[in-house]
Amino acid sequence: MDKFRMIFQFLQSNQESFMNGICGIMALASAQMYSAFDFNCPCLPRYNLAYGLGILLVPPLILFLLGFVLNNNISMLAEEWRRPWGQRGKDPAVLRYMFCSMAQRAMIAPVVWVSVTLLDGKCITCAFCTSVPVETLGNASNPGLSQGEMKRVLARIPCKEIYDGQELIANEVAIRYLRCISQALGWCFVLLMTTLAFLVRSLRPCFTQAAFLKSRYWSHYIDIERKLFDETCAEHARSFAKVYIQQFFEGMSTDIAATHCHPPRKTPVDVGEAAEKLLGITDQGTMNTALKSWHRCKPPLHLHLPALPSANGWAGEGQPPTHPPAPRKETAAYYSRV
Amino acid sequence: MDCFRMIFQYFQSNSESVMNGICGLLALASVKIYTSFNFSCPCLPRYNMAYGLGIMFIPPIALFFCGLILNRQSLMMLEEWRRPQGRRKKDTAVIRYMCFSIMQRAMVAPIVWIVVTLLDGKCLICAFSSSVDPEKFVGFANVSPVQVQQLLARVPCKDDELMRNNTSRKAVSRYLRCWSQALGWSILLILIVAAFLARWLRPCFNQVALLQARHWSNYIDIEQKIFEETCCEHSRLFAHKCILHFFESMREEIKLHSFNLPREGEGAEGEEDLLRGITDQDQVNKLLKMWYYEKPPLDVNQVTQR
């Protein structure tokens, strides 16, 4: 467990490390998924090709899309792409950089799946067993079989238990042949992908380094700005909620005092901290009314801060305050000590 | 776990160590990939050679490229090589040193693959079974040439129906495996002797230049890291100022619309300071709408000049 925690901490140390970590985990997950998957060739003439190629190509597509979904930055890219210009221009180079770096990371898991599939050989064996060159590997001169019959026999190659074409072409020979082709394709695919990755990485400093530094800076900036804005809004919401709830309790206590024709209780000068926190509600009935009112009739989202008289009606304002000004001053003075 | 943590910390302590760590991991990965790879010789006359030699040489090339890609220093070397001269001269000795050390590290995983392949023997048996002299082996001596090629090609496949009980098959297999392992051990010995000599004799040749090149290549690495960290720090501060400025300008706008008297100074303290003058659901909605529709310009000059 310690080991995992350390690895996790290392990967979380910065955003890029974290994304690389997710990328690596998805690649391992894709290899694990393949080995856990129970491959079952249908051994029927047209179904083989569909099944084999389907298993080869559909999961990589899903993994690719999953790579985008798991990447936090996709929503950032979409937001930056769709926002109106406002007072800040949009730089297409930054958008391209963000998209390219996300696409590169999302490509790793599909490439791992396709490589593992090809190197294992079952998919290609299943998909192309009807295309085995019987003339070179077996006895094509067998007279009794029409084309369709031969295809039906060849389609059973991957299923050793039901294979009945031993005179036509030996099962092991065909499987070895197909597996060899599949593994050759697999290694060529791996070589091609690593060469492409190497070229993409090494051509950048040769041609577009300055533009790259600019795009990278501004894409990090957009990310940091978004996070800071969320933090600032969360801080604001917290303060808003705190003041709002205090005002609610004050309002309750004043309302109830007014209903019972009591003057609002004057707090003694040397009141203790615990009594202050009671916010003017000191009996079961008042508390119950406060709770009921909180559920049934929440007041509008409008804070009454001391020196902002809201009577001048800015367009978006809520309801005017309900208490008379004199007690309000008192309550304002009261809670500003809190 | 302590031991693992220490190893981890040691490898992270500087970037050379990190690169050595990656190099080691890649070498282990190459052994693991070889052992989990299902080697399946086609046992057909021309295909054997292509398959055997392909498995021996194509993965090392891919591993070599992987080694270059995963090594951060390769990117740094390219950047240093291609940058415009500017006001800082370029030192070709430093670039050569970096190139050399990158190549050395990237070669480890491919060599491990080739050595493991040779020591295991399957690749060479598959590739060269058709090329042995059939006269040396009793089972193949009196067979027609065409047939002998077919038979020899099937030697790597133990379970083949023709080869299952053929004792000469085992003889050919052993013969080829012996050659393969001899080759493997020889290559390993030559490489280790070469590495030993290179390390031992290096101080005899131009040690000063080497120390300088190593120092300046470390410097370039550190400078790059610090530049990136400073940029991150800067963009954080920039974003902070930009957002504060945005909230301030919203507060100004609200004040303007409400025709309020300026607030009596009770001192901006605690919650009110954090509220930044936004105290209403509609004001908050307006702020969020402005943030989306009209992001402020990337210019914190007014803020810093205040």
Side-chain angles (χ1 to χ4, degrees):
Chain A
M1 270 308 113
D2 232 0
K3 185 163 63 164
F4 285 117
R5 185 157 30 102
M6 248 171 44
I7 294 177
F8 202 58
Q9 268 170 8
F10 168 67
L11 290 174
Q12 274 201 303
S13 59
N14 66 44
Q15 175 78 341
E16 285 236 353
S17 275
F18 182 67
M19 290 318 307
N20 289 341
I22 297 258
C23 197
I25 288 174
M26 274 194 62
L28 287 174
S30 108
Q32 184 59 26
M33 253 165 47
Y34 181 79
S35 50
F37 175 65
D38 184 17
F39 188 91
N40 250 315
C41 194
C43 295
L44 297 165
R46 277 182 301 274
Y47 289 69
N48 276 4
L49 188 66
Y51 186 82
L53 290 184
I55 299 294
L56 183 66
L57 299 171
V58 171
L61 191 63
I62 295 175
L63 287 168
F64 182 68
L65 293 173
L66 197 62
F68 272 107
V69 164
L70 289 180
N71 193 334
N72 292 338
N73 295 341
I74 186 77
S75 56
M76 192 173 82
L77 172 64
E79 218 176 273
E80 179 65 15
W81 182 39
R82 298 299 303 164
R83 73 170 170 90
W85 275 58
Q87 301 173 36
R88 183 192 289 190
K90 276 202 274 198
D91 187 1
V94 173
L95 293 170
R96 262 198 315 265
Y97 169 82
M98 292 190 341
F99 181 73
C100 284
S101 80
M102 277 193 270
Q104 277 171 4
R105 289 199 174 90
M107 286 282 283
I108 293 187
V111 165
V112 168
W113 176 279
V114 171
S115 312
V116 170
T117 305
L118 288 174
L119 292 178
D120 187 39
K122 289 194 285 236
C123 272
I124 297 288
T125 306
C126 183
F128 295 106
C129 54
T130 47
S131 321
V132 166
V134 185
E135 309 79 31
T136 39
L137 299 176
N139 312 318
S141 53
N142 203 325
L145 293 176
S146 65
Q147 274 290 74
E149 264 297 303
M150 195 157 76
K151 284 226 173 316
R152 200 185 50 78
V153 167
L154 289 176
R156 293 198 184 146
I157 286 175
C159 303
K160 293 197 217 301
E161 321 80 51
I162 58 171
Y163 184 63
D164 54 357
Q166 220 41 27
E167 313 82 41
L168 184 59
I169 177 171
N171 187 282
E172 304 84 42
V173 171
I175 289 187
R176 277 198 307 254
Y177 175 79
L178 289 165
R179 194 183 291 145
C180 155
I181 302 277
S182 173
Q183 289 179 341
L185 274 174
W187 283 118
C188 290
F189 178 74
V190 167
L191 184 65
L192 183 69
M193 288 290 123
T194 43
T195 312
L196 264 175
F198 172 71
L199 283 175
V200 163
R201 227 173 126 96
S202 55
L203 290 180
R204 196 237 306 143
C206 301
F207 295 108
T208 54
Q209 183 68 357
F212 165 76
L213 286 174
K214 195 174 80 151
S215 309
R216 191 173 64 173
Y217 179 87
W218 289 113
S219 90
H220 283 167
Y221 173 82
I222 291 171
D223 184 27
I224 289 176
E225 190 190 50
R226 192 174 70 136
K227 287 198 180 94
L228 276 179
F229 184 76
D230 288 342
E231 276 173 26
T232 314
C233 282
E235 220 172 72
H236 184 273
R238 199 184 161 72
S239 309
F240 197 110
K242 200 160 163 185
V243 172
Y244 177 82
I245 290 168
Q246 276 175 350
Q247 286 186 347
F248 171 75
F249 274 97
E250 285 305 307
M252 271 293 111
S253 130
T254 319
D255 276 350
I256 285 165
T259 321
H260 292 144
C261 305
H262 293 158
R265 203 180 313 196
K266 281 196 167 51
T267 50
V269 180
D270 56 348
V271 69
E273 214 179 276
E276 273 190 15
K277 285 196 178 150
L278 288 175
L279 298 170
I281 298 184
T282 48
D283 64 84
Q284 187 183 27
T286 319
M287 191 67 219
N288 286 342
T289 315
L291 293 172
K292 198 161 81 173
S293 171
W294 182 252
H295 174 66
R296 291 221 181 120
C297 179
K298 275 198 170 88
L301 285 164
H302 182 105
L303 302 181
H304 311 296
L305 286 186
L308 283 176
S310 38
N312 280 350
W314 178 65
E317 213 177 343
Q319 293 168 322
T322 48
H323 6 264
R328 193 174 15 133
K329 252 204 206 120
E330 245 183 62
T331 54
Y334 170 74
Y335 88 74
S336 71
R337 269 208 301 272
V338 172
Chain B
M1 280 313 115
D2 247 347
C3 153
F4 188 79
R5 190 179 319 161
M6 252 167 45
I7 293 174
F8 206 57
Q9 273 171 0
Y10 168 71
F11 277 120
Q12 273 201 293
S13 59
N14 67 42
S15 65
E16 277 228 1
S17 288
V18 170
M19 289 185 299
N20 288 341
I22 291 182
C23 179
L25 278 175
L26 209 54
L28 287 175
S30 104
V31 174
K32 179 83 179 120
I33 292 174
Y34 183 79
T35 48
S36 53
F37 175 63
N38 185 7
F39 187 91
S40 161
C41 194
C43 296
L44 297 164
R46 279 179 305 276
Y47 289 71
N48 276 6
M49 174 86 79
Y51 185 82
L53 293 183
I55 297 296
M56 200 151 91
F57 293 117
I58 292 181
I61 299 177
L63 285 167
F64 179 71
F65 282 132
C66 271
L68 290 179
I69 291 167
L70 292 176
N71 193 340
R72 228 181 124 251
Q73 211 184 26
S74 61
L75 216 58
M76 253 168 36
M77 183 209 77
L78 279 171
E79 276 170 26
E80 177 66 14
W81 181 41
R82 299 297 303 172
R83 72 172 170 91
Q85 179 120 332
R87 294 194 290 182
R88 184 192 287 192
K89 281 201 312 249
K90 282 202 267 199
D91 190 353
T92 45
V94 172
I95 296 173
R96 260 200 320 267
Y97 171 83
M98 294 205 309
C99 191
F100 194 61
S101 87
I102 291 163
M103 291 292 169
Q104 270 179 341
R105 288 194 175 92
M107 288 292 283
V108 172
I111 288 176
V112 166
W113 176 279
I114 290 176
V115 167
V116 168
T117 305
L118 287 172
L119 293 180
D120 188 35
K122 288 193 287 234
C123 273
L124 237 61
I125 295 176
C126 184
F128 293 107
S129 67
S130 310
S131 319
V132 298
D133 183 6
E135 301 305 318
K136 289 197 185 138
F137 303 97
V138 173
F140 301 117
N142 299 323
V143 187
S144 70
V146 176
Q147 268 242 299
V148 87
Q149 281 301 307
Q150 288 279 337
L151 281 177
L152 282 174
R154 287 174 186 230
V155 158
C157 298
K158 292 192 256 244
D159 300 323
D160 189 72
E161 51 196 354
L162 294 173
M163 286 283 131
R164 210 166 280 156
N165 300 318
N166 193 331
T167 45
S168 303
R169 177 197 71 81
K170 292 184 193 156
V172 174
S173 241
R174 276 200 303 265
Y175 174 75
L176 286 168
R177 187 175 285 130
C178 157
W179 270 107
S180 172
Q181 290 180 342
L183 199 58
W185 284 117
S186 311
I187 288 179
L188 197 56
L189 183 67
I190 290 172
L191 285 173
I192 290 188
V193 166
F196 172 77
L197 284 175
R199 252 181 116 94
W200 188 298
L201 296 177
R202 198 173 52 191
C204 305
F205 298 99
N206 217 346
Q207 179 71 349
V208 173
L210 176 73
L211 287 175
Q212 285 176 347
R214 192 164 67 184
H215 176 267
W216 289 114
S217 84
N218 275 343
Y219 171 79
I220 291 172
D221 181 23
I222 290 173
E223 191 188 50
Q224 176 82 337
K225 280 203 188 96
I226 293 184
F227 181 75
E228 281 170 15
E229 279 172 22
T230 313
C231 279
C232 267
E233 177 90 26
H234 183 270
S235 66
R236 198 178 168 82
L237 288 171
F238 197 112
H240 193 171
K241 286 246 148 43
C242 204
I243 290 169
L244 283 180
H245 188 191
F246 178 72
F247 272 85
E248 281 300 317
S249 65
M250 284 304 300
R251 190 204 296 230
E252 294 298 328
E253 202 177 308
I254 287 161
K255 268 199 202 147
L256 211 63
H257 277 111
S258 329
F259 302 107
N260 279 337
L261 296 168
R263 198 143 43 112
E264 286 144 26
E266 276 192 23
E269 42 172 308
E271 306 300 340
E272 286 178 24
D273 191 37
L274 290 173
L275 285 173
R276 297 188 176 94
I278 317 277
T279 54
D280 195 292
Q281 183 180 25
D282 293 318
Q283 290 170 6
V284 172
N285 287 343
K286 182 167 196 253
L287 179 137
L288 293 172
K289 195 165 98 164
M290 283 286 284
W291 182 252
Y292 177 69
Y293 278 105
E294 283 189 37
K295 270 211 170 75
L298 287 166
D299 179 1
V300 296
N301 264 326
Q302 305 97 309
V303 180
T304 51
Q305 273 165 19
R306 244 192 251 160

